[in-house]
Amino acid sequence: MTLEHEQQLENEYVMPTFVRKPVEFVSGSGMELVDDKGKTYLDFIGGIGVIAIGHCNPVLADALAEQAHKLMHVSNYYYVEGRGDLSKKLCDMLNHGAAEPEVWKTFYTNSGAESNECAVKIARLHAKKNGRGGTIVTLEGSFHGRTLATLAATAQPAKQEAFQPLPAGFVATPPNDVAALEALFEAQGTDIAAVLVEPIQGEGGVKPLTQEFMQAVREQCTKHGALMMCDEVQTGIYRCGTPYAFQKFGVVPDVVSMAKGIGGGMPMGACAARGEIADTFSPGDHGTTFGGSCMAITAANTTLDYIQKHDIAANVEETGAYLREQLATLPHMKEVRGMGLMDAIEFDDTVDAPALVLAALEADQGLVLNYTGPHTMRFLPPLVCTKADVDVMIAQMKELLG
């Protein structure tokens, strides 16, 4: 089907929730995507951080094909082959670098928003069982999803206004402002069930929290009996080098939500909790039809095994550092920020980021790029990205910025 035919059908039959770029991708391999005309592009957004081990990785494709011929879905009323193995892998990843490893237990979902919904329910139920209020603290500029509860947690009024009234029980505090966080706890201590933070605000423009602030969140939660919850939907699964970004800050949260890269391209997510907090739920307190299905479990097990077998974490650290170094050489650059292969560049106000994304897509050497603001570009390439891929992208961007 051609792009023109697809555009015609979607304009008539698909809800207009996205402003789509004028391209239809029909195949891919590794870092590359191919459109319906046969043009090849280098992908530096990776399905918004989803493509962990490259497009159409043959190991993952073969595993999924084999599983599809065996069993696709049976529901969570029954045991699923490989789910326990995956949960043990995630427990080991969450204990990476821990002085005192703990047992982490996992609930499986289909998306990041569902993982964060699960985290909110854990926090509220845990608070109720311990005689506390149910307020969830989030950070200004955060993004936690587009369901009503996760939109209420997303402290961006422009995204919330059209959908009011939103669920109550969420309050925002400025990121990296320790004094404001401490004042909030002093004022509302026993009413606060949890603090939910992204270690790096992704949709907000790839803005890392400071180590001081992350440690202050941990200290205040411990002092006041609240849960520290990390939204690792975008930062987790080795995106920042370590299994989870919180491990870069020397803290251990109580609850971790994840999705995106965990399935290598298949819809998949999870919410994990440690120690006694993991036993907050009882049968019937939460559920899902598709979460942790046979196909999703196969995708996640295969993706994580591939990452660990091929030491993808080392590549993320090395190539990510090189990417930030090269981004700093671009014209009109004001700031480069990020961690691992989750990075951003802030241009001065002479660069129109949306126009640059479109120009890169249309260039002879096509690039799939992303912007999060008028002058902000975000980079979330597959974790198999190489320095050679970075060089091609930087050369093309310099030509476009000419």
Side-chain angles (χ1 to χ4, degrees):
M1 184 180 294
T2 65
L3 169 64
E4 293 73 23
H5 190 199
E6 188 63 43
Q7 287 175 317
Q8 179 184 349
L9 290 171
E10 290 205 16
N11 286 341
E12 188 167 357
Y13 298 111
V14 177
M15 288 187 184
T17 56
F18 286 87
V19 179
R20 303 192 203 281
K21 307 295 186 294
V23 62
E24 180 186 16
F25 295 121
V26 297
S27 65
S29 177
M31 280 286 294
E32 293 186 342
L33 286 167
V34 181
D35 71 13
D36 63 310
K37 308 294 194 301
K39 180 180 172 181
T40 300
Y41 304 74
L42 270 183
D43 184 5
F44 274 84
I45 187 60
I48 318 180
V50 167
I51 305 301
I53 57 177
H55 289 286
C56 302
N57 183 296
V59 175
L60 178 56
D62 289 348
L64 288 171
E66 181 180 349
Q67 182 62 49
H69 283 287
K70 288 171 56 180
L71 194 60
M72 288 179 147
H73 179 79
V74 293
S75 96
N76 283 300
Y77 290 143
Y78 312 100
Y79 290 92
V80 169
E81 183 180 17
R83 188 161 56 206
D85 289 337
L86 176 60
S87 300
K88 174 63 164 60
K89 282 189 186 82
L90 293 175
C91 179
D92 291 343
M93 288 166 56
L94 287 157
N95 280 321
H96 174 82
E100 298 180 11
E102 297 187 67
V103 173
W104 291 77
K105 295 183 181 180
T106 299
F107 176 89
Y108 291 104
T109 71
N110 305 283
S111 68
E114 288 178 68
S115 297
N116 284 327
E117 288 265 359
C118 179
V120 168
K121 287 182 72 173
I122 290 173
R124 293 256 169 91
L125 186 56
H126 184 268
K128 186 174 183 179
K129 288 181 174 181
N130 287 277
R132 303 180 58 81
T135 298
I136 309 292
V137 178
T138 63
L139 303 183
E140 293 173 3
S142 61
F143 184 87
H144 299 291
R146 294 186 184 274
T147 63
L148 288 177
T150 56
L151 188 60
T154 294
Q156 297 187 49
K159 286 183 167 63
Q160 297 173 329
E161 181 150 355
F163 303 99
Q164 298 286 0
L166 292 172
F170 296 89
V171 62
T173 192
N176 295 330
D177 189 334
V178 173
L181 178 73
E182 291 174 344
L184 182 61
F185 266 99
E186 285 302 314
Q188 301 188 34
T190 57
D191 290 329
I192 296 174
V195 180
L196 174 63
V197 300
E198 302 162 274
I200 303 174
Q201 292 189 333
E203 296 293 324
V206 188
K207 296 177 180 177
L209 299 183
T210 64
Q211 184 159 341
E212 178 190 18
F213 185 77
M214 285 284 278
Q215 291 179 343
V217 173
R218 178 68 277 175
E219 289 167 5
Q220 290 298 308
C221 287
T222 301
K223 177 180 176 181
H224 293 274
L227 301 184
M228 179 181 184
M229 308 197 300
C230 281
D231 177 345
E232 295 263 7
V233 170
Q234 194 167 133
T235 55
I237 315 300
Y238 297 92
R239 171 60 55 184
C240 296
T242 48
Y244 300 93
F246 74 78
Q247 291 154 342
K248 297 276 191 176
F249 295 88
V251 299
V252 179
D254 302 300
V255 179
V256 177
S257 57
M258 63 198 88
K260 290 193 182 289
I262 191 173
M266 285 287 290
M268 175 60 160
C271 180
R274 68 184 179 98
E276 58 88 16
I277 297 154
D279 295 321
T280 297
F281 283 153
S282 298
D285 285 334
H286 199 40
T288 174
T289 297
F290 292 106
S293 72
C294 305
M295 296 295 287
I297 293 296
T298 295
N301 269 319
T302 304
T303 298
L304 296 180
D305 287 348
Y306 188 94
I307 288 173
Q308 292 165 1
K309 179 180 178 181
H310 293 86
D311 197 13
I312 299 296
N315 181 67
V316 170
E317 295 279 17
E318 186 176 346
T319 304
Y322 184 72
L323 172 59
R324 291 187 292 279
E325 176 187 305
Q326 295 305 306
L327 288 172
T329 69
L330 291 176
H332 309 291
M333 185 277 299
K334 284 178 62 179
E335 181 186 16
V336 175
R337 53 183 179 260
M339 201 177 286
L341 284 172
M342 181 177 180
D343 301 294
I345 183 168
E346 195 77 33
F347 288 110
D348 63 33
D349 58 11
T350 65
V351 175
D352 182 334
L356 180 58
V357 167
L358 190 57
L361 199 66
E362 296 172 344
D364 290 340
Q365 170 55 71
L367 297 176
V368 181
L369 303 177
N370 175 250
Y371 66 89
T372 61
H375 314 294
T376 308
M377 304 280 290
R378 173 177 56 168
F379 301 86
L380 297 168
L383 305 185
V384 295
C385 180
T386 67
K387 292 180 180 179
D389 296 321
V390 172
D391 288 341
V392 172
M393 184 270 290
I394 292 293
Q396 182 67 72
M397 286 190 70
K398 284 182 176 177
E399 184 175 328
L400 292 169
L401 290 164

